Every structure is written in C-alpha cells, then in structure tokens.
C-alpha cells in the first residue's frame, strides 16, 4: 500500500517538487538556527559558570550533579551537540545519548523518564541538524552543475523507489543507524516538503534515541563504557561506508 504522504507529491520522480529549491529561504533558516543556538547556548553558559569548582567536573563526575538545573544543563549540552551532527559535519551521535542515559549520570534515576527526555531532546536537535542539510543542499542545487544530478539515471532510479513511500522510508532511515543516509539525499533532491521531512526525521530519531537510552540505562553501563561502545559502532559503520563501494565494484567485475 502506498504511503499516504505521496498524495501531495508530483507522481513523476523525473521532476522535482514545485517548491524546491526556489522557495528555500536560507537566510530565514540561518536566523532560526542562530536563535536556536542562542536560546540553548546562553543558559548553558550561565549554568556552567554556576558550577562549584571547575566546570569540567560535570563531564568527569556527572553523577555528582543531580539538581534540576544540572539535569537541564545535561540536556542542553546534548541538544547543542546533536544540532551540529549532519552531512557536512558527520559527528557520531549515539555515544553522547548513551552516556547521558546511564545510571551514573542520573538524569532522572528512572528508565522511562530518562528515555523519554533524551528521545525528545535528541529528536528535536537531530531534526534541526537535518534541516540544516535540507537548506544548505537546496541552496547548492541552485547551481547548474549540481542541479544536473536530477538528470542522472541513478537519481531517476532512486526517485522512483522513493516516491512509493517517502515518509516511511525517511522515518526508517532515521531510526536505523545506516552508514550512508541515501534516503535523506534523495528526499532533498526531490524537494520533499520540509514539514513532512522534519516530522519523519523527528519521529525516527525519537524512536532511535529513546531505544538507545533505555538500553543504556537498563544495561547499567558506565558513561565511559556506553560512549566507547557507541563510538566503536560508529567507527565500524564508517569503515563499512568506506569499504562497501569498492567491494560492490569488485563483486560486479567478478559477476
């Protein structure tokens, strides 16, 4: 059954959606992103300055800081970091979510509330990061050479696949930590509506981070162990991303 979100889309994947990229307002988005950073960054700076002793203690002994404003600071740091993790700055995300979710950090001391808070904070922040991708890449596509990507056979094949269930594909691609987010690139090239793009991103990341936080809490890992495990997974995925294309080419020659 086709995804219901396809009803408002151009049925032909050979042409991109009518709003894209001409109606993209990059300055408006940069202003919104700047406001996001100010709204989160200023309270973070104030709360860090109020910590007794060196502020680095929050990161080396997070369990010593359990007051409500300290817990808020931890969430603000997560939201600031994740907002910069995008295609242009592919920083790993899972390590920080897993570390903050551990019992030692003591975000709430309870599994479900810890998972819910990190799912909400992480979902919002990663959606902001992916909207940065959407706007910057949309701006880049105004140049003729990059816009020619829509005329390639590869894009046409991907777009035909994408329009079958665009919302579902994007939700799943944000839920599963895949090494190359092809779906996001196709969605941007196609000009998938930004509101649906943001919603699919948020729901997928909400589920991903909530599940990760629940597992980290339930496993009783230390922040260091949780971070190292997730960084190891991120490194393995990065290696897979680097090794997969030549492996596929080699298999193709041998077929």
């Amino acid at each position: 059954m086709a995804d219901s979100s396809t009803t408002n889309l151009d049925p032909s994947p050979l042409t991109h959606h009518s709003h894209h990229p001409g109606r993209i307002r990059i300055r408006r988005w940069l202003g919104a992103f700047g406001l996001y950073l100010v709204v989160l960054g200023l309270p973070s700076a104030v709360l860090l300055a109020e910590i007794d002793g060196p502020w680095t203690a929050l990161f080396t002994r997070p369990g010593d800081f359990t007051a409500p404003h300290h817990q808020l600071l931890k969430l603000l740091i997560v939201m600031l970091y994740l907002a910069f993790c995008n295609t242009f700055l592919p920083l790993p995300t899972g390590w920080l979510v897993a570390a903050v979710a551990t019992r030692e950090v003591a975000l709430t001391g309870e599994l479900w509330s810890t998972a819910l808070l990190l799912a909400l904070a992480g979902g919002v922040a990663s959606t902001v990061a992916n909207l940065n991708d959407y706007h910057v890449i949309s701006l880049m596509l105004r140049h003729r050479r990059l816009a020619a990507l829509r005329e390639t056979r590869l894009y046409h094949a991907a777009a035909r696949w994408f329009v079958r269930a665009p919302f579902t594909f994007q939700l799943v691609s944000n839920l599963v930590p895949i090494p190359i987010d092809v779906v996001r690139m196709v969605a941007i090239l196609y000009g998938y509506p930004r509101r649906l793009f943001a919603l699919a991103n948020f729901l997928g990341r909400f589920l991903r981070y909530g599940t990760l936080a629940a597992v980290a809490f339930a496993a009783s890992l230390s922040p260091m162990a949780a971070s190292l495990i997730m960084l190891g997974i991120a490194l393995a995925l990065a290696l897979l991303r680097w090794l997969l294309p030549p492996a596929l080419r080699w298999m193709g020659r041998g077929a």
Side-chain angles (χ1 to χ4, degrees):
M1 183 174 180
D3 193 313
S4 60
S5 61
T6 61
T7 55
N8 295 324
L9 297 178
D10 185 342
S12 171
L14 304 184
T15 57
H16 57 276
H17 199 265
S18 59
H19 87 275
H20 178 79
R23 297 184 185 178
I24 292 295
R25 298 290 183 266
I26 188 67
R27 291 183 180 178
R28 182 181 300 176
W29 169 251
L30 289 177
F33 182 59
L35 181 62
Y36 174 94
L37 296 180
V38 170
V39 168
L40 273 64
L42 286 180
S44 298
V46 171
L47 292 173
L48 276 173
E50 292 180 352
I51 290 179
D52 294 331
W55 62 267
T56 53
L58 178 69
F59 302 95
T60 58
R61 303 191 313 275
D64 293 347
F65 301 89
T66 57
H69 62 282
H70 293 145
Q71 310 298 34
L72 173 61
L73 176 57
K74 295 170 187 176
L75 287 174
L76 291 176
I77 291 172
V78 170
M79 295 184 72
L80 284 168
Y81 174 83
L82 293 185
F84 287 96
C85 302
N86 55 27
T87 299
F88 301 98
L89 192 61
L91 299 170
T93 59
W95 71 272
L96 183 58
V97 174
V100 176
T102 58
R103 296 172 188 262
E104 185 176 329
V105 173
L107 188 62
T108 70
E110 195 270 332
L111 186 150
W112 295 110
S113 55
T114 294
L116 178 61
L117 285 175
L118 284 169
L120 288 170
V124 169
S126 283
T127 299
V128 169
N130 291 342
L131 281 170
N132 273 333
D133 275 350
Y134 191 104
H135 286 81
V136 173
I137 294 174
S138 296
L139 179 65
M140 294 168 63
L141 288 171
R142 293 177 179 176
H143 294 277
R144 184 177 302 175
R145 289 184 179 179
L146 290 175
L149 288 172
R150 294 197 191 92
E151 306 303 323
T152 63
R153 292 183 179 180
L154 180 60
Y155 166 72
H156 286 196
R160 289 190 183 94
W161 165 77
F162 173 77
V163 296
R164 294 178 181 178
F167 188 88
T168 301
F169 286 146
Q170 290 178 90
L171 190 154
V172 172
S173 72
N174 280 280
L175 172 60
V176 180
I178 54 179
I180 306 175
D181 196 344
V182 176
V183 176
R184 189 193 313 165
M185 294 300 103
V186 174
I188 298 171
L189 282 168
Y190 186 82
Y192 190 72
R194 277 167 290 177
R195 290 182 181 180
L196 291 175
F197 176 88
L199 180 60
N201 275 261
F202 173 77
L203 291 177
R205 294 304 177 108
F206 177 91
L207 294 172
R208 182 201 292 192
Y209 296 140
T211 302
L212 175 58
V215 170
F217 187 97
S220 299
L221 298 172
S222 69
M224 179 64 71
S227 299
L228 290 176
I229 290 171
M230 295 311 302
L231 285 172
I233 293 173
L235 177 60
L237 290 173
L239 288 173
L240 178 62
R241 178 177 180 175
W242 179 62
L243 294 172
L244 188 58
L248 290 176
R249 288 194 297 268
W250 178 81
M251 292 172 62
R253 287 196 298 267

